[in-house]
Each structure stands twice: as C-alpha cells, then as structure tokens.
Amino acid sequence: MPSTQKNRIFSAMQPTGSLHIGNYLGALKNWVDLQNSGGYNCIFGIVDYHAMTIDYDPRDMPKHITDLAIDYLSAGLDPDKSTIMVQSHVPEHTELAWIFNCITPMPELERMTQYKDKSRSNKTNPNVGLFSYPVLMAADILLYKADTVPVGEDQTQHVEFSRIIARKFNNRFAKIFPEPRTLLTKSARLSSLADPAKKMSKSLGEKHYIALTDTPAEIKKKISSAVTDTGPSKRVELSSTSEDPERGAKRRVEGKMSRGTKNLFDMLEVVSPLGTHKELMDEYKKGTLKYSDLKSTLADAIINHLKPIQEKRKELEHDHDKIAQILIQGAEHCQKIADKTMEEVRNKVGIR
Ligand code: TRP
C-alpha cells in the first residue's frame, strides 16, 4: 500500500502513436527507476485532452491510448506499484484547468516557447487549447498535489508555470497546493540520428529515430548510418573530467566532440553494462576509437535492452481486457484523490 508520507510524482505523455527510444530513455525509463526506488507515490498519465490540441484523427485516439498504456507496461511500469491513468477518465482535470485559466495572466502563456514553436508549425490550427495547454498540465499535476514532476528538458518551462499557478492560487484563495519541482532526467534530450542538430522526433522521419518496436536488423541499420561527424562548427565541449595517473590529479579533457558522436555515447551510457561506456570513451579520448566499433557495440546494447520490452509488448498486445482493467483501476484511484482536492478547491473559490 503506498504510504501518504511519500512524495508524490505525477508525469504524463500524450497518446500520439508509438514511442521512440528518445521518449523511452528520456522519460519512461526514468519513471520506471523512480517507481522501483520505492521512494514515491507515482501517478503516470496518458493525457488524451492534451493530444487534442494538435491535428489528430479521432479514429486513431483509442488505439493510441491503448498503445501508450502497453508501452508504459512493457517498459516496466507496474500497476501494483504505480497508478496508470487516462486523463479524460477523471473529468476534474478540465474542471481544475478552467479554474486555473481564470487566475492565469495571458502574458505567462504568451511567453511559453513550446506554444510559439507549435503554433508556428501548426499554422492552420493554433487553437485556444494549444495556448492554454500548460494550464491543463498544471491541473494534471496539482489535482493530485504532486510535488515532483520527472520530465525532459523541453517541459521544464511548463513545470515552472505550474509552480507559478500553485503560488497564485495559494495567495489568492488558500494555501492548498505544493509548488512542484522538476526532476530532470539524465538523458533528457536525444538528437536525431540522421541530423544531430535536431531533437529526435518521429515527425522527422524513419531514419531519424529508433522505435521501441524496431527489429534488430532495423536498429543495426539505423545506428550504422547515424551521422557522427557534423563538422567543426557543431562541436560541443566535453565537460567530463578524467584521472591523469601520471600527475595523480583531475584534469579537464581537452577537445570537442561532435553532437552526433555525443548522442551515440549518451545512448550507450544508459543501455550498456557498466564499464562499456567508460572503455569506449577512454579510447575516444586517446584517439584510438573506431566509430564502427562504437556503433556496433551500441546497436547490440540497444537490441539487448529492448528485447525484454518487446517480448512483454507481444504478450500485452493480445490482452486488451487486462489493459482496460488496469486503466479502470487507475481511474478509480485517481478519482478519489481528485474528489478530495476539488472539494477543497470549490470551497475556497466559492462555488459550492
Ligand atoms: N506536456 C507533456 C509532454 O508533452 C505531457 C504532460 C501533460 C505532462 N501533463 C503533464 C508531463 C503533467 C508532466 C506532468 O511531454
């Protein structure tokens, strides 16, 4: 039984189709580790209302929701340890979002970088939902009084916004919400394999990402054709330090690594056994590393890492009843917490 003393985590993803390894390593894997640490009460959402803010086909939505639940479970989220829920199953998310809308200053939303990016790329449909997306996200988090939000770098501004809203509500009505903090994931931002200057994203096309469902042959092919050398202008500073045995002191590593190469090392660090990353990094520093070795080691490590996930996925794909049952359970658990918070909220804002 989860204890109420523990910090509460809320995080979520949008059901927009199958996940890639960047979503997995940047977020989901971290959620699984947090869950297994036993230190938190965790709720993980499938945020379908958020997925309606960009163009989508209503016929795909149910499948995308089930697919994301399968991704969560096959990656290791365990319904006995964490709560997995669909946002729209608990209508209080939108009720609280409306109340938050009414204390949100427009300029706070106007400065959100993700809104600016998305409304630029989604010119035909920059709707009000997209604009007030961070308000709904603040409601997701605060409805459960979550104080810890594990997300990738691209969401830190939104979590900061939810702190602003918590503070505003607390000052205006009554102090009932915690100010949630971001828990940044280690490998928060993987780059595209084919164009490392860009963030890994499905919208760039097949060769830019590894899907969690890719076969070993596809993984080998994509990694072996990943771009490593992007020219001197795109190099990033290596910030690590290493022991210099001759002088017995730490020294800063000289030199710069291309983004593409760093991206491969970042993946290797999380999917390979301890020691492999260090070994290859030492070779890189000595200048003896062959990129073909780095790539084949990495491809094998990814294949091995994804194998149990893919096997679990195969099992679950045919068990939609089980998935539905888990989501109902999640909704019931969340509804209880939501009822409690909303009773307090309605009371304080004067609508009961
Ligand atoms: N905006 C997040 C994303 O696109 C998804 C999300 C919605 C979320 N509500 C949330 C993440 C609450 C953390 C907490 O990745």
Side-chain angles (χ1 to χ4, degrees):
M1 246 0 234
S3 108
T4 45
Q5 314 296 79
K6 291 180 186 172
N7 289 52
R8 175 166 281 143
I9 278 182
F10 185 95
S11 198
M13 286 186 203
Q14 300 185 45
T16 49
S18 59
L19 296 186
H20 60 65
I21 197 167
N23 309 125
Y24 169 68
L25 295 179
L28 189 47
K29 181 173 181 292
N30 190 48
W31 297 359
V32 174
D33 294 341
L34 288 165
Q35 162 196 275
N36 292 339
S37 77
Y40 301 92
N41 267 327
C42 301
I43 303 176
F44 298 110
I46 295 175
V47 288
D48 45 357
Y49 284 137
H50 277 108
M52 295 171 68
T53 59
I54 46 165
D55 282 332
Y56 77 104
D57 186 336
R59 285 169 303 186
D60 293 336
M61 187 65 96
K63 179 173 174 350
H64 285 170
I65 292 171
T66 307
D67 271 349
L68 189 53
I70 293 175
D71 282 331
Y72 282 5
L73 295 164
S74 44
L77 289 188
D78 175 350
D80 291 333
K81 297 182 186 158
S82 298
T83 302
I84 300 170
M85 59 92 60
V86 178
Q87 187 184 34
S88 66
H89 291 181
V90 182
E92 282 76 4
H93 284 254
T94 47
E95 183 187 353
L96 186 58
W98 179 260
I99 293 169
F100 286 167
N101 266 326
C102 298
I103 56 168
T104 301
M106 297 273 286
E108 290 290 352
L109 292 178
E110 277 159 357
R111 65 189 188 85
M112 292 288 136
T113 51
Q114 192 170 73
Y115 170 71
K116 290 190 223 167
D117 291 349
K118 280 196 188 172
S119 56
R120 222 175 285 135
S121 62
N122 198 24
K123 280 200 189 69
T124 52
N125 184 25
N127 56 64
V128 177
L130 188 65
F131 184 66
S132 83
Y133 175 117
V135 179
L136 180 58
M137 183 164 157
D140 297 339
I141 298 166
L142 296 173
L143 185 58
Y144 305 110
K145 299 191 179 179
D147 48 30
T148 309
V149 187
V151 285
E153 218 170 351
D154 62 324
Q155 295 298 317
T156 53
Q157 200 185 25
H158 292 158
V159 180
E160 188 198 330
F161 173 82
S162 71
R163 272 199 297 281
I164 295 174
I165 292 301
R167 217 173 300 143
K168 270 199 176 297
F169 187 99
N170 291 346
N171 289 335
R172 169 86 175 81
F173 299 109
K175 193 172 178 336
I176 64 173
F177 292 118
E179 291 182 23
R181 68 184 178 109
T182 303
L183 199 64
L184 245 203
T185 53
K186 187 155 182 250
S187 157
R189 196 185 175 94
L190 286 188
S191 300
S192 144
L193 299 173
D195 184 358
K198 298 193 174 129
K199 186 182 164 187
M200 186 182 282
S201 156
K202 274 193 304 178
S203 59
L204 295 172
E206 279 283 333
K207 63 178 182 188
H208 292 267
Y209 67 92
I210 288 172
L212 291 188
T213 50
D214 276 350
T215 62
E218 284 166 331
I219 293 169
K220 285 205 173 112
K221 182 156 171 259
K222 286 180 183 176
I223 294 291
S224 76
S225 47
V227 171
T228 46
D229 208 342
T230 38
S233 63
K234 299 231 176 91
R235 276 155 199 269
V236 285
E237 200 66 55
L238 264 184
S239 60
S240 55
T241 52
S242 72
E243 293 289 340
D244 182 342
E246 302 220 317
R247 272 176 283 172
K250 293 240 176 207
R251 74 182 158 91
R252 196 168 161 75
V253 177
E254 300 295 337
K256 294 185 173 184
M257 186 186 260
S258 73
R259 256 184 213 292
T261 308
K262 180 165 183 311
N263 197 39
L264 299 182
F265 270 110
D266 282 351
M267 284 187 260
L268 189 67
E269 191 168 15
V270 268
V271 296
S272 70
L274 269 174
T276 307
H277 177 267
K278 184 177 180 308
E279 224 170 83
L280 293 184
M281 186 58 96
D282 286 347
E283 279 192 41
Y284 174 86
K285 286 172 191 163
K286 280 191 284 183
T288 52
L289 178 72
K290 283 214 256 57
Y291 285 124
S292 55
D293 288 344
L294 170 63
K295 286 176 166 182
S296 64
T297 307
L298 175 61
D300 287 341
I302 294 176
I303 291 165
N304 278 331
H305 192 94
L306 293 186
K307 196 165 175 248
I309 298 177
Q310 295 182 341
E311 283 167 0
K312 187 93 199 278
R313 173 169 251 289
K314 280 218 176 73
E315 256 172 63
L316 289 165
E317 258 167 0
H318 303 290
D319 205 347
H320 282 208
D321 285 352
K322 181 168 172 188
I323 308 291
Q325 197 46 47
I326 289 169
L327 296 178
I328 290 171
Q329 229 177 58
E332 284 170 357
H333 176 74
C334 287
Q335 188 65 56
K336 284 193 205 120
I337 308 172
D339 284 345
K340 234 171 117 188
T341 305
M342 287 315 294
E343 195 177 306
E344 248 182 312
V345 168
R346 292 185 200 113
N347 219 332
K348 299 298 181 194
V349 302
I351 54 169
R352 58 173 293 133

